[in-house]
């Protein structure tokens, strides 16, 4: 099972990233656990200065942008 964390305070870009992650998981029928991290102190633990951020299996893979669904699929497989 893949562990995914969406880092962000709830802005439009953070919601869009979460939506893309959910779409990829659904399309590829992946087993994944999604966690939304909205606490600023926890976000800073990942040294993310600009949200949204995406963490896959405890590795920061993107920050400050919304990756494409193709990129997300590559990280989740």
């Amino acid at each position: 099972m893949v562990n995914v964390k969406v880092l962000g305070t709830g802005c439009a870009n953070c919601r869009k990233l979460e939506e893309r992650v959910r779409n990829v998981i659904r399309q590829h029928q992946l087993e994944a656990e999604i966690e939304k991290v909205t606490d600023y102190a926890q976000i800073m633990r990942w040294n993310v200065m600009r949200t949204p951020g995406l963490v896959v299996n405890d590795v920061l893979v993107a920050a400050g942008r919304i990756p494409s669904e193709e990129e997300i699929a590559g990280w989740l497989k």
Side-chain angles (χ1 to χ4, degrees), residues 19-32 34 68-74 76-77:
E19 179 183 320
R20 283 190 182 179
V21 169
R22 290 186 186 279
N23 285 340
V24 168
I25 289 169
R26 189 172 33 255
Q27 289 171 359
H28 296 274
Q29 300 177 350
L30 301 172
E31 285 191 44
I34 301 174
S68 68
E69 288 191 5
E70 293 79 19
E71 285 179 290
I72 295 169
L76 297 183
K77 289 185 173 184

Side-chain angles (χ1 to χ4, degrees), residues 12-48:
N13 286 340
C14 300
R15 291 190 303 269
K16 180 70 174 180
L17 176 56
E18 181 183 3
E19 179 183 320
R20 283 190 182 179
V21 169
R22 290 186 186 279
N23 285 340
V24 168
I25 289 169
R26 189 172 33 255
Q27 289 171 359
H28 296 274
Q29 300 177 350
L30 301 172
E31 285 191 44
E33 175 184 46
I34 301 174
E35 180 183 348
K36 289 176 64 173
V37 179
T38 58
D39 180 65
Y40 187 71
Q42 287 185 10
I43 292 170
M44 289 304 297
R45 173 177 171 248
W46 298 101
N47 293 320
V48 172

